[in-house]
Amino acid sequence: MNKVILMGRPTADPEIRYGTGENSIAIGRYTLAVNRRFIKDGEQEADFIRCVAFGKAAEFTEKWIKKGMKIVVTGRIQTGSYTNQEGVKVYTTEVVIEEQEFAESKKSETAEAAEKETKDNSSEVSAGKDKSPESNLKEEDTEGTSQEKESKPVKKTGRKKTKEGAENSGNN
C-alpha cells in the first residue's frame, strides 16, 4: 500500500498550470514544510516535501491553499526521473495529492491577525500615537459641552450572586 498523510504549511502560494490540448487539466504544485516530531539540539527541524495535485484537487489548491496555511494532505508517493539540460539524470520524489483539508480554522487565523493588530496598537499607544476610537470617547450633554466618557470593561459571568447564594455556596 502506498499512502501518505502529511500536516504542514506551504512555503509559497501554489503554482498552477493548465495542460494544453482539448482536455486540458489543472496541475498544482507546492512545497509543504512538515515539522519533524522531535526537536534536535533545541531547534525544530522540518522536511520540505514537493506536492502535486491534478484536476479538481488542483483547482481546489488554486482557490483555497495559500502560503503559511496549516493543511493536511493525503496522497501517494511517486518517484520519477528526467535528464536535465546538462545531460545529468535527476531523480524526483513527490506526493501526488488525493485529498486536502484545512488543519486550522479561519477563526484562528483571524485571531492571529487581531493579536498582531493589538500589538501594533499597543506600541502606538506607548509612543503617544493611539488612533483607536476608544481613546477619546466624548459625549455631548444637554448644554452642548463635551464631557469625557469613562470606558469600563464589562465582565459577564452568566451567574447572579446574591447574599443567599453566597451563604448557600458555603454550606455545600
Side-chain angles (χ1 to χ4, degrees):
M1 180 189 318
N2 182 358
K3 186 158 184 126
V4 177
I5 301 171
L6 301 169
M7 181 166 55
R9 298 176 188 273
T11 59
D13 286 345
E15 177 183 307
I16 308 297
R17 294 186 182 171
Y18 289 88
T20 57
E22 228 176 88
N23 297 327
S24 65
I25 186 169
I27 303 168
R29 294 181 184 274
Y30 58 88
T31 300
L32 194 65
V34 179
N35 287 335
R36 291 189 179 172
R37 207 168 186 184
F38 302 103
I39 297 173
K40 184 179 179 182
D41 298 329
E43 288 189 35
Q44 179 72 51
E45 291 185 4
D47 293 307
F48 297 89
I49 300 167
R50 293 285 307 153
C51 298
V52 62
F54 297 100
K56 295 282 185 192
E59 291 170 10
F60 178 87
T61 299
E62 179 179 34
K63 186 173 183 179
W64 297 104
I65 305 298
K66 302 292 179 221
K67 175 184 176 179
M69 296 176 88
K70 189 177 245 184
I71 60 173
V72 175
V73 298
T74 305
R76 61 186 166 82
I77 290 183
Q78 180 173 294
T79 60
S81 64
Y82 64 93
T83 305
N84 66 11
Q85 294 176 347
E86 289 84 37
V88 177
K89 193 166 190 172
V90 177
Y91 294 94
T92 62
T93 303
E94 54 194 8
V95 174
V96 177
I97 296 172
E98 295 167 358
E99 295 178 31
Q100 300 172 94
E101 299 177 30
F102 301 108
E104 303 185 303
S105 67
K106 192 76 169 167
K107 192 176 199 178
S108 66
E109 291 174 17
T110 306
E112 288 175 10
E115 184 178 317
K116 182 179 185 287
E117 186 176 315
T118 302
K119 287 179 183 177
D120 291 346
N121 285 344
S122 65
S123 64
E124 287 178 358
V125 169
S126 64
K129 300 176 186 175
D130 184 18
K131 296 179 183 177
S132 65
E134 294 85 17
S135 62
N136 293 321
L137 291 175
K138 296 198 180 235
E139 189 176 83
E140 292 291 324
D141 67 2
T142 54
E143 297 173 11
T145 62
S146 59
Q147 297 175 335
E148 291 289 327
K149 180 181 177 184
E150 288 184 28
S151 173
K152 295 181 182 177
V154 177
K155 183 178 180 182
K156 295 183 179 181
T157 61
R159 286 187 262 153
K160 292 183 179 180
K161 289 191 176 181
T162 62
K163 282 186 178 180
E164 296 82 29
E167 290 172 7
N168 290 340
S169 64
N171 293 334
N172 289 340

